[in-house]
Amino acid sequence: MSTIRVAALQMRSGTDIQRNVADFEALVREAAGMGAAYVQSPEMTGILVRSREALFERVRPAEEDPLVGMAAALARELSLFLHVGSTAIRLGDDKVANRAFLFGPDGARIATYDKIHMFDVDLDNGESWRESATYAPGSESIVATLPDMRLGLSVCYDLRFPQLFRAQALAGAEVLTVPAAFTRQTGAAHWHVLTRARAIENGAWLIAAAQGGRHADGRETYGHSLVVDPWGRIVAEAEHDDPAVIVADIDTAAAGAARAKVPNLQNAREFAVAEAVYGRRAS
């Protein structure tokens, strides 16, 4: 048995970085008090602000970011693995990174991951998002090896790209992570279906810490932070959009058991896609 207690933090981050950092600290301490050895926060833990100008006024490089510094200190003080789902990190004059950070119990940085897939969409309710106008996409997937689990990193919109999670599962990831700030509209339609599907098709645990509620910049996010087991069962959920901590005890051996029952990772085959056209005789 390789059991670890994990926690997902549900937040309602706003435009005030110091307040967000304080909220993050309080929730991390609550999770530690519940016995969590691994704690994950949502996408954009440090700041949620829609205005590009306001964002650039506030964000800093990683070495100056107050959330990053607080996370390292908390991981060391509380002796846990602390995964900042993501926050905005300044890269230069015209771009920022949507970057995740993973810290160990000694406070050392284990890994960073920059969100690969940019949320450039137009929704039915008039919402329009162009992350690529502000954020520089990442180009490298990350699988982190911890003492009790191998962890695949992703951020929010990455959830809609199953090839990312399949590559992580093939690289040995037993736990997939999806810190998110799903919109209320897309979350209500797709959040549970997509998170469960990624867990099922890869025979992996999935931990998804989410933003929830109406934020200071006017956006609304779905909440419903989740922990899903490798058989697709939801074992922990915040069934609302308010700030909260959820915990679950996960046994990473369950990933191997699920993959043994349905060995689709082994059974996958290469194939070509051919075209068939009505009116044209097949050769």
Side-chain angles (χ1 to χ4, degrees):
M1 296 283 286
S2 303
T3 301
I4 180 172
R5 177 161 290 186
V6 302
L9 312 181
Q10 188 156 288
M11 296 183 66
R12 191 173 293 158
S13 298
T15 59
D16 184 334
I17 293 177
Q18 295 303 326
R19 178 174 177 178
N20 296 334
V21 171
D23 290 345
F24 166 78
E25 179 184 4
L27 289 170
V28 172
R29 291 187 182 281
E30 182 178 344
M34 299 166 75
Y38 163 88
V39 179
Q40 179 192 127
S41 70
E43 180 184 30
M44 288 296 158
T45 294
I47 185 168
L48 262 180
V49 56
R50 186 160 186 168
S51 163
R52 191 174 191 275
E53 293 74 19
L55 179 68
F56 273 87
E57 287 174 1
R58 291 166 169 81
V59 295
R60 299 288 182 268
E63 59 272 15
E64 300 173 18
D65 186 88
L67 176 68
V68 174
M70 174 62 75
L74 283 172
R76 182 172 56 251
E77 177 192 343
L78 301 173
S79 191
L80 48 72
F81 291 96
L82 186 49
H83 176 184
V84 175
S86 84
T87 198
I89 295 297
R90 187 150 193 165
L91 299 179
D93 292 337
D94 64 343
K95 290 289 184 179
V96 299
N98 188 341
R99 182 169 294 171
F101 293 83
L102 179 62
F103 295 95
D106 58 355
R109 189 182 304 177
I110 299 169
T112 61
Y113 165 74
D114 288 358
K115 183 178 181 180
I116 292 173
H117 299 99
M118 299 288 96
F119 190 55
D120 290 355
V121 303
D122 299 296
L123 301 177
D124 291 341
N125 63 357
E127 285 185 75
S128 181
W129 300 92
R130 291 292 180 273
E131 281 190 341
S132 61
T134 300
Y135 295 92
S139 59
E140 185 176 56
S141 177
I142 300 293
V143 175
T145 299
L146 308 185
D148 295 309
M149 58 183 175
R150 285 176 59 79
L151 196 74
L153 305 186
S154 80
V155 176
C156 199
Y157 191 49
D158 285 334
L159 180 61
R160 295 184 182 271
F161 299 85
Q163 65 272 26
L164 173 65
F165 300 90
R166 176 53 51 89
Q168 292 177 348
L170 290 171
E174 303 150 318
V175 180
L176 307 173
T177 65
V178 190
F182 252 59
T183 69
R184 184 173 299 281
Q185 181 184 6
T186 58
H190 300 148
W191 176 247
H192 291 84
V193 174
L194 288 172
T195 51
R196 294 182 68 206
R198 296 296 87 86
I200 292 166
E201 66 199 11
N202 293 296
W205 291 90
L206 186 143
I207 306 169
Q211 295 281 355
R214 182 176 288 278
H215 300 264
D217 69 352
R219 82 181 75 197
E220 289 189 76
T221 53
Y222 184 61
H224 290 265
S225 298
L226 297 168
V227 179
V228 184
D229 79 4
W231 207 242
R233 293 171 293 222
I234 296 171
V235 299
E237 178 176 3
E239 297 182 355
H240 50 73
D241 63 11
D242 292 322
V245 177
I246 61 169
V247 297
D249 294 322
I250 70 173
D251 176 11
T252 55
R259 291 168 182 176
K261 293 175 186 175
V262 184
N264 59 314
L265 297 181
Q266 297 171 234
N267 293 346
R269 294 175 59 84
E270 296 294 326
F271 56 88
V273 177
E275 182 181 23
V277 180
Y278 174 72
R280 182 188 300 169
R281 181 175 296 179
S283 57

